[in-house]
Coordinates of all heavy atoms in Angstrom, one line a residue:
G114 N -2.0 -14.1 -1.8 CA -2.8 -13.7 -3.1 C -4.1 -13.1 -2.7 O -4.8 -12.7 -3.8
A115 N -4.6 -12.9 -1.6 CA -5.8 -12.4 -1.2 C -5.8 -10.9 -1.4 O -4.8 -10.2 -1.2 CB -6.2 -12.6 0.3
L116 N -6.9 -10.4 -2.0 CA -7.1 -8.8 -2.1 C -7.9 -8.4 -0.9 O -9.1 -9.0 -0.8 CB -7.8 -8.6 -3.4 CG -7.0 -8.9 -4.7 CD1 -7.9 -8.6 -5.9 CD2 -5.8 -8.1 -4.8
N117 N -7.4 -7.5 -0.2 CA -8.0 -7.0 1.0 C -8.6 -5.6 0.6 O -7.8 -4.6 0.4 CB -7.1 -6.8 2.1 CG -6.3 -8.2 2.4 OD1 -6.9 -9.1 2.8 ND2 -5.1 -8.3 2.1
F118 N -10.0 -5.5 0.6 CA -10.6 -4.2 0.4 C -10.7 -3.5 1.8 O -11.3 -4.0 2.7 CB -11.9 -4.4 -0.2 CG -11.8 -4.8 -1.6 CD1 -11.5 -6.1 -2.0 CD2 -12.0 -3.9 -2.7 CE1 -11.4 -6.6 -3.3 CE2 -11.8 -4.3 -4.1 CZ -11.5 -5.6 -4.4
L119 N -10.1 -2.3 1.9 CA -9.8 -1.6 3.2 C -10.7 -0.4 3.2 O -11.1 0.1 2.3 CB -8.4 -1.3 3.4 CG -7.5 -2.4 3.2 CD1 -6.0 -1.9 3.2 CD2 -7.7 -3.6 4.2
S120 N -10.9 0.0 4.5 CA -11.7 1.3 4.8 C -10.8 1.9 6.0 O -10.6 1.3 6.9 CB -13.1 1.0 5.1 OG -13.7 2.1 5.7
P121 N -10.8 3.4 5.9 CA -10.3 4.0 7.0 C -11.0 3.9 8.3 O -10.5 4.3 9.3 CB -10.1 5.5 6.5 CG -10.5 5.5 5.1 CD -11.2 4.2 4.7
E122 N -12.2 3.5 8.2 CA -13.1 3.4 9.3 C -13.1 2.2 10.0 O -13.6 1.9 11.1 CB -14.6 3.8 8.9 CG -14.9 5.1 8.6 CD -14.4 5.6 7.2 OE1 -14.7 4.7 6.3 OE2 -13.9 6.7 7.1
S123 N -12.4 1.1 9.5 CA -12.4 -0.1 10.0 C -10.9 -0.7 10.3 O -10.0 -0.3 9.5 CB -13.0 -1.2 9.0 OG -12.9 -2.5 9.4
E124 N -10.7 -1.5 11.3 CA -9.4 -2.0 11.7 C -9.2 -3.4 11.0 O -8.1 -3.9 11.2 CB -9.3 -2.1 13.2 CG -9.3 -0.6 13.9 CD -9.1 -0.7 15.3 OE1 -8.9 -1.7 16.0 OE2 -9.1 0.3 15.9
K125 N -10.2 -3.9 10.3 CA -10.1 -5.1 9.5 C -10.5 -4.9 8.2 O -11.3 -3.9 7.8 CB -10.9 -6.2 10.1 CG -10.6 -6.5 11.7 CD -9.3 -7.3 11.7 CE -9.0 -7.7 13.0 NZ -7.6 -8.1 13.3
P126 N -10.1 -5.7 7.2 CA -10.7 -5.5 5.8 C -12.1 -5.6 5.8 O -12.7 -6.4 6.5 CB -10.1 -6.7 5.1 CG -8.9 -7.0 5.8 CD -9.2 -6.8 7.2
V127 N -12.8 -4.8 5.0 CA -14.3 -4.9 4.7 C -14.7 -5.9 3.8 O -15.9 -6.5 3.8 CB -14.9 -3.4 4.3 CG1 -14.7 -2.5 5.4 CG2 -14.2 -3.0 3.0
N128 N -13.8 -6.5 3.0 CA -13.9 -7.6 2.2 C -12.7 -8.2 1.8 O -11.7 -7.5 1.6 CB -14.8 -7.1 0.9 CG -15.3 -8.4 0.1 OD1 -15.3 -9.5 0.6 ND2 -15.8 -8.2 -1.1
V129 N -12.7 -9.5 1.6 CA -11.4 -10.2 1.2 C -11.8 -11.1 0.0 O -12.7 -11.9 0.1 CB -10.8 -11.0 2.4 CG1 -9.5 -11.8 1.8 CG2 -10.4 -10.1 3.4
I130 N -11.0 -11.0 -1.2 CA -11.3 -11.8 -2.2 C -10.0 -12.6 -2.5 O -8.9 -12.2 -2.5 CB -11.5 -11.1 -3.5 CG1 -12.8 -10.3 -3.3 CG2 -11.6 -11.9 -4.7 CD1 -13.1 -9.4 -4.5
D131 N -10.2 -14.1 -2.5 CA -9.0 -14.9 -2.8 C -8.6 -14.7 -4.3 O -9.3 -14.6 -5.1 CB -9.4 -16.4 -2.6 CG -9.5 -16.7 -1.1 OD1 -8.8 -16.1 -0.2 OD2 -10.3 -17.6 -0.8
G132 N -7.4 -14.4 -4.3 CA -6.8 -14.1 -5.6 C -6.0 -15.2 -6.2 O -6.4 -16.4 -6.1
H133 N -4.9 -15.0 -6.6 CA -3.9 -16.0 -7.2 C -3.5 -17.0 -6.1 O -3.5 -16.7 -4.9 CB -2.6 -15.3 -7.8 CG -3.1 -14.3 -8.8 ND1 -3.0 -14.6 -10.1 CD2 -3.3 -12.9 -8.7 CE1 -3.4 -13.5 -10.9 NE2 -3.5 -12.5 -10.0
K134 N -3.0 -18.1 -6.5 CA -2.5 -19.1 -5.6 C -1.1 -19.2 -5.7 O -0.4 -20.1 -5.1 CB -3.2 -20.5 -5.9 CG -4.7 -20.5 -5.6 CD -4.9 -20.0 -4.2 CE -6.4 -19.9 -3.9 NZ -6.7 -19.2 -2.7
S135 N -0.4 -18.2 -6.4 CA 1.1 -18.1 -6.4 C 1.4 -16.7 -6.2 O 0.4 -15.8 -6.2 CB 1.7 -18.7 -7.8 OG 1.2 -17.9 -8.8
T136 N 2.6 -16.3 -6.0 CA 3.0 -15.0 -5.6 C 2.6 -14.0 -6.7 O 2.8 -14.1 -7.9 CB 4.5 -15.0 -5.4 OG1 4.8 -15.9 -4.4 CG2 5.0 -13.5 -4.9
I137 N 1.9 -12.9 -6.2 CA 1.5 -11.9 -7.1 C 2.7 -10.9 -7.3 O 3.3 -10.5 -6.4 CB 0.2 -11.0 -6.5 CG1 -0.9 -11.9 -6.5 CG2 0.0 -9.8 -7.3 CD1 -2.2 -11.3 -5.8
N138 N 2.9 -10.5 -8.5 CA 4.1 -9.7 -8.9 C 3.7 -8.3 -9.2 O 4.5 -7.4 -9.0 CB 4.8 -10.2 -10.2 CG 5.3 -11.6 -10.0 OD1 5.9 -12.0 -8.8 ND2 5.2 -12.4 -11.0
C139 N 2.3 -8.0 -9.5 CA 2.0 -6.6 -9.8 C 0.6 -6.5 -9.5 O -0.2 -7.4 -9.5 CB 2.4 -6.2 -11.2 SG 1.7 -7.3 -12.5
I140 N 0.1 -5.2 -9.3 CA -1.2 -4.8 -9.2 C -1.3 -3.5 -9.9 O -0.5 -2.6 -9.9 CB -1.7 -4.7 -7.8 CG1 -3.3 -4.3 -7.7 CG2 -0.8 -3.7 -7.0 CD1 -3.8 -4.4 -6.3
A141 N -2.4 -3.3 -10.7 CA -2.7 -2.0 -11.4 C -4.2 -1.8 -11.5 O -5.0 -2.8 -11.5 CB -2.1 -2.1 -12.8
V142 N -4.6 -0.6 -11.5 CA -6.1 -0.1 -11.5 C -6.2 1.0 -12.6 O -5.4 1.9 -12.7 CB -6.5 0.3 -10.1 CG1 -7.9 0.8 -10.3 CG2 -6.4 -0.8 -9.1
N143 N -7.2 0.8 -13.4 CA -7.5 1.9 -14.4 C -8.4 2.9 -13.7 O -9.6 2.4 -13.3 CB -8.2 1.3 -15.6 CG -8.5 2.3 -16.7 OD1 -9.0 3.3 -16.3 ND2 -8.3 1.9 -17.8
S144 N -8.0 4.0 -13.4 CA -8.8 4.9 -12.6 C -10.2 5.4 -13.4 O -11.0 5.9 -12.7 CB -7.9 6.1 -12.2 OG -7.4 6.8 -13.4
T145 N -10.1 5.3 -14.6 CA -11.4 5.7 -15.3 C -12.4 4.6 -15.3 O -13.6 4.9 -15.1 CB -11.0 5.9 -16.9 OG1 -9.9 7.0 -16.9 CG2 -12.1 6.4 -17.7
T146 N -12.0 3.4 -15.6 CA -13.0 2.3 -15.6 C -13.2 1.6 -14.3 O -14.2 0.8 -14.2 CB -12.6 1.3 -16.7 OG1 -11.4 0.7 -16.3 CG2 -12.5 1.9 -18.1
K147 N -12.4 1.8 -13.3 CA -12.4 1.2 -12.2 C -12.1 -0.3 -12.2 O -12.5 -1.1 -11.4 CB -13.6 1.4 -11.3 CG -14.1 2.8 -11.2 CD -13.1 3.6 -10.4 CE -13.7 4.9 -10.0 NZ -12.8 6.0 -10.0
D148 N -11.4 -0.7 -13.3 CA -11.0 -2.1 -13.4 C -9.6 -2.3 -12.8 O -8.7 -1.5 -12.9 CB -10.9 -2.5 -15.0 CG -12.1 -2.5 -15.7 OD1 -13.1 -3.1 -15.1 OD2 -12.2 -2.1 -16.8
G149 N -9.5 -3.4 -12.0 CA -8.2 -3.8 -11.4 C -7.7 -5.0 -12.0 O -8.4 -5.9 -12.5
Y150 N -6.3 -5.2 -12.0 CA -5.6 -6.3 -12.5 C -4.5 -6.6 -11.6 O -3.8 -5.8 -11.1 CB -5.1 -6.0 -13.9 CG -6.1 -5.6 -15.0 CD1 -6.3 -4.3 -15.1 CD2 -6.8 -6.6 -15.7 CE1 -7.4 -3.9 -16.1 CE2 -7.8 -6.0 -16.6 CZ -8.0 -4.8 -16.8 OH -9.0 -4.4 -17.7
T151 N -4.3 -8.1 -11.5 CA -3.2 -8.6 -10.8 C -2.6 -9.6 -11.5 O -3.3 -10.2 -12.4 CB -3.6 -9.1 -9.3 OG1 -4.6 -10.2 -9.5 CG2 -4.2 -8.1 -8.4
G152 N -1.3 -9.8 -11.4 CA -0.6 -10.7 -12.2 C 0.5 -11.5 -11.5 O 1.1 -11.0 -10.5
C153 N 0.6 -12.9 -11.9 CA 1.7 -13.6 -11.5 C 2.0 -14.4 -12.8 O 2.5 -13.8 -13.7 CB 1.4 -14.5 -10.3 SG 0.0 -15.6 -10.6
T154 N 1.7 -15.7 -12.9 CA 1.8 -16.5 -14.1 C 0.6 -16.3 -14.8 O 0.4 -16.8 -16.0 CB 2.1 -18.0 -13.9 OG1 1.2 -18.5 -13.0 CG2 3.4 -18.0 -13.2
T155 N -0.5 -15.8 -14.2 CA -1.8 -15.5 -14.8 C -2.2 -14.1 -14.5 O -1.6 -13.6 -13.7 CB -3.0 -16.5 -14.4 OG1 -3.1 -16.3 -13.0 CG2 -2.6 -18.0 -14.7
V156 N -3.2 -13.6 -15.2 CA -3.7 -12.3 -14.9 C -5.2 -12.5 -14.4 O -6.0 -13.2 -14.9 CB -3.7 -11.5 -16.2 CG1 -4.4 -10.1 -16.0 CG2 -2.3 -11.2 -16.6
R157 N -5.5 -11.7 -13.4 CA -6.9 -11.8 -12.8 C -7.5 -10.3 -13.1 O -6.7 -9.3 -12.9 CB -7.0 -12.1 -11.4 CG -6.9 -13.6 -11.2 CD -7.2 -14.1 -9.8 NE -8.6 -13.7 -9.4 CZ -9.5 -14.5 -9.0 NH1 -9.2 -15.7 -9.0 NH2 -10.7 -14.1 -8.6
H158 N -8.8 -10.1 -13.4 CA -9.4 -9.0 -13.6 C -10.4 -8.8 -12.5 O -11.2 -9.7 -12.1 CB -10.1 -8.9 -15.0 CG -11.0 -7.8 -15.1 ND1 -12.4 -7.9 -14.9 CD2 -10.9 -6.4 -15.4 CE1 -13.0 -6.8 -15.2 NE2 -12.1 -5.9 -15.4
Y159 N -10.5 -7.5 -11.9 CA -11.5 -7.2 -10.9 C -12.2 -6.0 -11.2 O -11.7 -4.9 -11.7 CB -10.7 -7.0 -9.5 CG -9.9 -8.2 -9.2 CD1 -8.6 -8.3 -9.5 CD2 -10.4 -9.2 -8.3 CE1 -7.8 -9.4 -9.2 CE2 -9.7 -10.3 -7.8 CZ -8.4 -10.4 -8.3 OH -7.6 -11.4 -8.0

Side-chain angles (χ1 to χ4, degrees):
L116 293 176
N117 306 290
F118 289 78
L119 311 173
S120 167
E122 288 80 40
S123 177
E124 293 181 4
K125 299 286 180 197
V127 295
N128 194 12
V129 177
I130 296 175
D131 286 329
H133 301 267
K134 295 303 174 199
S135 61
T136 304
I137 293 175
N138 298 323
C139 59
I140 182 172
V142 176
N143 181 321
S144 60
T145 304
T146 65
K147 307 295 191 220
D148 289 317
Y150 301 91
T151 55
C153 62
T154 56
T155 62
V156 174
R157 285 190 56 121
H158 168 260
Y159 301 89

